[in-house]
Amino acid sequence: MQVITDQVYRFSKDNAACATAEPGEVLVFKTLDCFSNRITDETVTMDSLDYGYDVANPAAGPVFVNGAKPGDVLVVDILSIDVADEGTIATDDHCGPLFEGMPYATKKVRIEEGFAVFNGLRFPIDPMIGVIGTAPSGDDVIDGYIGSHGGNMDNKLITAGARLFFPVRVEGALLQMGDVHAAMGDSEICGTGIEIPASIAVRIGLIKDFELNWPVLETKDKWYVNACAPEYHEACRNAARELHRLLMRATGWNAPDTYMYMSVQCDLEINQGCKPCAVEMSLRFGAPKHPGIKPLIDIDERL
C-alpha cells in the first residue's frame, strides 16, 4: 500500500506527481493540519503566525492515476480517517459574521477515545476531509480556495464511508487531499473546525467518458452536487443546474418535472460560508436515493 506524504499548497496541472496509482488501488494520505502544524500551543494565534491562504491547507499528493484522461471521472472511496490526539481551533480577523471586535484566539482540543474535549465538555468527533480534488486544466487554485475541480469544499459529509466523484481535467487526474477536521459544523462559522493532522485511506476508481461539471458526493442515503461561487445565489444556481441535469439523465423526466421534484424532495445545505473571507460560498444540493430512480452516477461503469 502506497503512503503519500508529500505536501503541496495548490491544485495545478504543473504539479509533479509524487506517486502513480492504478484504478482499484488503496492509498494512504498522511496530512498536516491547515496551519501546516505550526500552531504549537495556545499562545500562537493566526495573527502571530502571519497566516495567509497561500500557505493554508497543505494537501498530500498529488497522485497520478493511470488511465485517467480529460472527460473521465475519478472515483474516491473514503475508507477511513484516523486523526491525531490533539487539534486546533482559531479565530482570524476577517472570517465569519462575528469577526468584528472578535479577538484573535487559539484553543487546543484533546481527542480522547473518539471524543473531543472542549472546556470540559465532551462530544463525539466525526472526522471529515476539508480539501480534496483533482487538478484544474486552467489556472492554479491554491488549496485554501474551492472550484469545480474540488479543493476547499469543507463539506462535513466527506467522512469515512462516503464516495466522491471528480471531473478529470488533466491526464492522470492528479488527486490530492488534506485539511482534515475532527469535527466541524455546517458553515464553519469562525473559519476553522478542529484542525488536525490525519491519516486517510482511500480506494480510487475510474469512470470513462462521463460528463461531470462539479464534484458529486454519494452518502448512504443521498447524492450531493458540491458547487461554489462568490455569492450564495450564484453558487445555488451552479449546484441546481448540475443536479437537475444529472436527475434528468437518471429519471428520463422532462425539465419542469425534474425541477418540481427538486423543490419537494431535494435539500440545499451550506458547507462553508464564513464570509467576509476570500473563500467562495461552498454548498451542496442533495437528492435522496429512491428505489424508483437510477443512480445519478452508475458505479458499474467504473473500470
Side-chain angles (χ1 to χ4, degrees), residues 1-2 20-29 63-68 73-79 163-164 175 201-208 299 301-303:
M1 186 182 302
Q2 296 191 72
T20 299
E22 300 292 337
E25 190 170 341
V26 173
L27 305 170
V28 173
F29 290 76
V63 172
F64 185 99
V65 180
N66 277 334
V73 169
L74 186 70
V75 185
V76 183
D77 289 308
I78 311 300
L79 304 180
R163 173 178 286 155
L164 289 153
L175 173 68
V202 305
R203 178 181 294 108
I204 55 175
L206 196 60
I207 298 173
K208 301 297 291 182
I299 201 65
E301 296 178 57
R302 186 173 65 174
L303 293 184

Side-chain angles (χ1 to χ4, degrees), residues 176-196:
Q176 61 195 59
M177 66 189 73
D179 185 34
V180 168
H181 307 130
M184 191 195 84
D186 276 338
S187 89
E188 194 186 31
I189 190 170
C190 85
T192 54
I194 301 179
E195 311 291 336
I196 197 163

Side-chain angles (χ1 to χ4, degrees), residues 105-255:
T106 295
K107 184 172 288 293
K108 287 292 186 178
V109 179
R110 296 291 300 171
I111 308 299
E112 299 177 353
E113 298 179 341
F115 286 81
V117 182
F118 183 99
N119 287 355
L121 183 71
R122 292 170 58 88
F123 52 84
I125 64 171
D126 191 11
M128 47 79 62
I129 302 169
V131 171
I132 183 170
T134 55
S137 58
D139 294 340
D140 295 356
V141 180
I142 60 177
D143 289 351
Y145 288 177
I146 179 178
S148 63
H149 66 292
N152 190 24
M153 295 185 288
D154 274 337
N155 182 339
K156 74 174 188 180
L157 303 183
I158 302 177
T159 60
R163 173 178 286 155
L164 289 153
F165 302 84
F166 293 102
V168 175
R169 304 266 170 74
V170 303
E171 186 174 1
L174 297 181
L175 173 68
Q176 61 195 59
M177 66 189 73
D179 185 34
V180 168
H181 307 130
M184 191 195 84
D186 276 338
S187 89
E188 194 186 31
I189 190 170
C190 85
T192 54
I194 301 179
E195 311 291 336
I196 197 163
S199 178
I200 308 165
V202 305
R203 178 181 294 108
I204 55 175
L206 196 60
I207 298 173
K208 301 297 291 182
D209 300 319
F210 187 97
E211 180 184 352
L212 192 65
N213 301 304
W214 292 91
V216 168
L217 169 68
E218 181 185 1
T219 67
K220 181 175 66 175
D221 56 1
K222 277 191 174 183
W223 295 90
Y224 289 95
V225 171
N226 294 264
C228 68
E231 301 299 336
Y232 165 81
H233 67 280
E234 187 182 354
C236 175
R237 185 185 304 118
N238 288 338
R241 283 176 172 167
E242 183 71 345
L243 183 60
H244 185 261
R245 184 185 70 82
L246 290 170
L247 275 170
M248 284 185 65
R249 181 183 183 275
T251 61
W253 297 339
N254 63 27

